[in-house]
Amino acid sequence: MSPSVLHVQLDAYLSIREALGFQMRAERTLLRDFVNFVESHGVGIPIRAYLAVEWACALSARRGPGGAAQRLSMARGFLTYLRATIPETEVPDSALVASFRRPKPYLFTPDQIRTLIQDAKKARPESPTPSYLIHPHWVVGQHRITGR
């Protein structure tokens, strides 16, 4: 299978996904980069899992903590499609690269909220402001209700 066949397969994959209604702008760019990466390494067909992991992790420093996992997920989708025509194609496990995890939020207890509101009622703004902002406890209460 010549290297250009990978580009043909990628175009077919992207066309199918777009026909199903998926937005593939970012994937198109990144998966073309992946195919170029595979071709530049000259390892041939079938594509091995280590190559997808290597590509996903290579540029993750520019994309942030979850970048590598996101790139690997995109490559996995294409490799799964490719495996239908080339059964020897390896699809790396999604757990090989850790994804970004949001920190656990701190939740105030009802007593802490009461204390915050009481302390906010004691505070006074230094400049004239609209009446609803004169009461800092209003802001704390709104934060408690909306979480924002």
mmCIF file of all heavy atoms in Angstrom, residues 120 123-139:
data_model
loop_
_atom_site.group_PDB
_atom_site.id
_atom_site.type_symbol
_atom_site.label_atom_id
_atom_site.label_comp_id
_atom_site.label_asym_id
_atom_site.label_seq_id
_atom_site.Cartn_x
_atom_site.Cartn_y
_atom_site.Cartn_z
ATOM 1 N N ALA A 120 -20.076 39.345 54.901
ATOM 2 C CA ALA A 120 -20.303 40.219 53.751
ATOM 3 C C ALA A 120 -21.266 41.348 54.112
ATOM 4 O O ALA A 120 -21.135 42.464 53.611
ATOM 5 C CB ALA A 120 -20.844 39.411 52.582
ATOM 6 N N ALA A 123 -19.431 44.257 55.586
ATOM 7 C CA ALA A 123 -18.575 45.035 54.686
ATOM 8 C C ALA A 123 -19.387 46.126 54.010
ATOM 9 O O ALA A 123 -20.569 45.975 53.751
ATOM 10 C CB ALA A 123 -17.972 44.101 53.628
ATOM 11 N N ARG A 124 -18.751 47.253 53.729
ATOM 12 C CA ARG A 124 -19.419 48.372 53.067
ATOM 13 C C ARG A 124 -18.579 48.784 51.854
ATOM 14 O O ARG A 124 -17.357 48.893 51.961
ATOM 15 C CB ARG A 124 -19.544 49.570 54.017
ATOM 16 C CG ARG A 124 -20.465 49.313 55.159
ATOM 17 C CD ARG A 124 -21.916 49.430 54.679
ATOM 18 N NE ARG A 124 -22.794 49.021 55.750
ATOM 19 C CZ ARG A 124 -23.831 48.241 55.577
ATOM 20 N NH1 ARG A 124 -24.120 47.773 54.396
ATOM 21 N NH2 ARG A 124 -24.605 47.916 56.580
ATOM 22 N N PRO A 125 -19.219 49.052 50.736
ATOM 23 C CA PRO A 125 -18.459 49.514 49.571
ATOM 24 C C PRO A 125 -17.911 50.917 49.802
ATOM 25 O O PRO A 125 -18.500 51.696 50.541
ATOM 26 C CB PRO A 125 -19.475 49.494 48.431
ATOM 27 C CG PRO A 125 -20.806 49.533 49.107
ATOM 28 C CD PRO A 125 -20.629 48.916 50.469
ATOM 29 N N GLU A 126 -16.778 51.231 49.165
ATOM 30 C CA GLU A 126 -16.139 52.528 49.343
ATOM 31 C C GLU A 126 -16.699 53.596 48.417
ATOM 32 O O GLU A 126 -16.542 54.774 48.669
ATOM 33 C CB GLU A 126 -14.630 52.385 49.115
ATOM 34 C CG GLU A 126 -13.973 51.522 50.166
ATOM 35 C CD GLU A 126 -12.489 51.366 49.922
ATOM 36 O OE1 GLU A 126 -11.919 52.113 49.112
ATOM 37 O OE2 GLU A 126 -11.895 50.499 50.552
ATOM 38 N N SER A 127 -17.333 53.187 47.315
ATOM 39 C CA SER A 127 -17.859 54.181 46.380
ATOM 40 C C SER A 127 -19.334 53.904 46.108
ATOM 41 O O SER A 127 -19.807 52.791 46.320
ATOM 42 C CB SER A 127 -17.061 54.132 45.078
ATOM 43 O OG SER A 127 -17.249 52.874 44.465
ATOM 44 N N PRO A 128 -20.062 54.913 45.652
ATOM 45 C CA PRO A 128 -21.474 54.699 45.348
ATOM 46 C C PRO A 128 -21.635 53.701 44.207
ATOM 47 O O PRO A 128 -20.958 53.795 43.202
ATOM 48 C CB PRO A 128 -21.988 56.075 44.939
ATOM 49 C CG PRO A 128 -20.855 57.005 45.015
ATOM 50 C CD PRO A 128 -19.634 56.272 45.405
ATOM 51 N N THR A 129 -22.525 52.768 44.402
ATOM 52 C CA THR A 129 -22.783 51.732 43.392
ATOM 53 C C THR A 129 -24.281 51.485 43.321
ATOM 54 O O THR A 129 -25.026 51.945 44.197
ATOM 55 C CB THR A 129 -22.077 50.409 43.778
ATOM 56 O OG1 THR A 129 -22.523 50.025 45.070
ATOM 57 C CG2 THR A 129 -20.576 50.552 43.782
ATOM 58 N N PRO A 130 -24.746 50.778 42.307
ATOM 59 C CA PRO A 130 -26.175 50.447 42.275
ATOM 60 C C PRO A 130 -26.600 49.741 43.558
ATOM 61 O O PRO A 130 -25.809 49.047 44.198
ATOM 62 C CB PRO A 130 -26.289 49.513 41.066
ATOM 63 C CG PRO A 130 -25.111 49.837 40.213
ATOM 64 C CD PRO A 130 -24.024 50.267 41.157
ATOM 65 N N SER A 131 -27.862 49.889 43.909
ATOM 66 C CA SER A 131 -28.339 49.409 45.200
ATOM 67 C C SER A 131 -28.139 47.910 45.410
ATOM 68 O O SER A 131 -27.854 47.478 46.518
ATOM 69 C CB SER A 131 -29.809 49.767 45.381
ATOM 70 O OG SER A 131 -30.591 49.140 44.378
ATOM 71 N N TYR A 132 -28.270 47.106 44.356
ATOM 72 C CA TYR A 132 -28.118 45.667 44.574
ATOM 73 C C TYR A 132 -26.676 45.272 44.851
ATOM 74 O O TYR A 132 -26.414 44.224 45.409
ATOM 75 C CB TYR A 132 -28.690 44.860 43.401
ATOM 76 C CG TYR A 132 -27.970 45.054 42.091
ATOM 77 C CD1 TYR A 132 -26.891 44.257 41.748
ATOM 78 C CD2 TYR A 132 -28.390 46.016 41.191
ATOM 79 C CE1 TYR A 132 -26.243 44.419 40.544
ATOM 80 C CE2 TYR A 132 -27.760 46.181 39.992
ATOM 81 C CZ TYR A 132 -26.674 45.380 39.661
ATOM 82 O OH TYR A 132 -26.038 45.541 38.476
ATOM 83 N N LEU A 133 -25.716 46.135 44.464
ATOM 84 C CA LEU A 133 -24.318 45.841 44.756
ATOM 85 C C LEU A 133 -23.869 46.415 46.093
ATOM 86 O O LEU A 133 -22.771 46.147 46.540
ATOM 87 C CB LEU A 133 -23.420 46.370 43.639
ATOM 88 C CG LEU A 133 -23.555 45.659 42.296
ATOM 89 C CD1 LEU A 133 -22.629 46.304 41.280
ATOM 90 C CD2 LEU A 133 -23.232 44.181 42.416
ATOM 91 N N ILE A 134 -24.698 47.212 46.723
ATOM 92 C CA ILE A 134 -24.344 47.773 48.027
ATOM 93 C C ILE A 134 -24.281 46.669 49.070
ATOM 94 O O ILE A 134 -23.541 46.746 50.026
ATOM 95 C CB ILE A 134 -25.354 48.863 48.443
ATOM 96 C CG1 ILE A 134 -25.185 50.065 47.522
ATOM 97 C CG2 ILE A 134 -25.167 49.258 49.893
ATOM 98 C CD1 ILE A 134 -26.186 51.164 47.756
ATOM 99 N N HIS A 135 -24.999 45.627 48.824
ATOM 100 C CA HIS A 135 -25.046 44.526 49.785
ATOM 101 C C HIS A 135 -24.180 43.371 49.299
ATOM 102 O O HIS A 135 -24.607 42.559 48.486
ATOM 103 C CB HIS A 135 -26.486 44.062 49.985
ATOM 104 C CG HIS A 135 -27.406 45.170 50.373
ATOM 105 N ND1 HIS A 135 -27.382 45.724 51.620
ATOM 106 C CD2 HIS A 135 -28.351 45.845 49.683
ATOM 107 C CE1 HIS A 135 -28.285 46.694 51.692
ATOM 108 N NE2 HIS A 135 -28.896 46.782 50.517
ATOM 109 N N PRO A 136 -22.959 43.262 49.804
ATOM 110 C CA PRO A 136 -22.074 42.171 49.373
ATOM 111 C C PRO A 136 -22.665 40.795 49.671
ATOM 112 O O PRO A 136 -22.357 39.832 48.984
ATOM 113 C CB PRO A 136 -20.793 42.402 50.164
ATOM 114 C CG PRO A 136 -20.837 43.833 50.558
ATOM 115 C CD PRO A 136 -22.288 44.175 50.704
ATOM 116 N N HIS A 137 -23.528 40.715 50.684
ATOM 117 C CA HIS A 137 -24.119 39.409 50.977
ATOM 118 C C HIS A 137 -25.005 38.945 49.826
ATOM 119 O O HIS A 137 -25.202 37.755 49.623
ATOM 120 C CB HIS A 137 -24.903 39.443 52.295
ATOM 121 C CG HIS A 137 -26.118 40.309 52.262
ATOM 122 N ND1 HIS A 137 -26.050 41.680 52.437
ATOM 123 C CD2 HIS A 137 -27.415 39.998 52.057
ATOM 124 C CE1 HIS A 137 -27.280 42.184 52.348
ATOM 125 N NE2 HIS A 137 -28.120 41.179 52.114
ATOM 126 N N TRP A 138 -25.505 39.905 49.030
ATOM 127 C CA TRP A 138 -26.295 39.544 47.860
ATOM 128 C C TRP A 138 -25.425 38.773 46.866
ATOM 129 O O TRP A 138 -25.844 37.770 46.317
ATOM 130 C CB TRP A 138 -26.857 40.815 47.210
ATOM 131 C CG TRP A 138 -27.677 40.532 45.989
ATOM 132 C CD1 TRP A 138 -29.007 40.242 45.946
ATOM 133 C CD2 TRP A 138 -27.221 40.500 44.642
ATOM 134 N NE1 TRP A 138 -29.405 40.035 44.651
ATOM 135 C CE2 TRP A 138 -28.322 40.188 43.822
ATOM 136 C CE3 TRP A 138 -25.985 40.708 44.028
ATOM 137 C CZ2 TRP A 138 -28.241 40.065 42.441
ATOM 138 C CZ3 TRP A 138 -25.900 40.593 42.650
ATOM 139 C CH2 TRP A 138 -27.015 40.276 41.875
ATOM 140 N N VAL A 139 -24.187 39.245 46.681
ATOM 141 C CA VAL A 139 -23.261 38.585 45.757
ATOM 142 C C VAL A 139 -22.951 37.175 46.249
ATOM 143 O O VAL A 139 -22.973 36.214 45.478
ATOM 144 C CB VAL A 139 -21.973 39.415 45.602
ATOM 145 C CG1 VAL A 139 -20.961 38.685 44.744
ATOM 146 C CG2 VAL A 139 -22.288 40.782 45.030
#
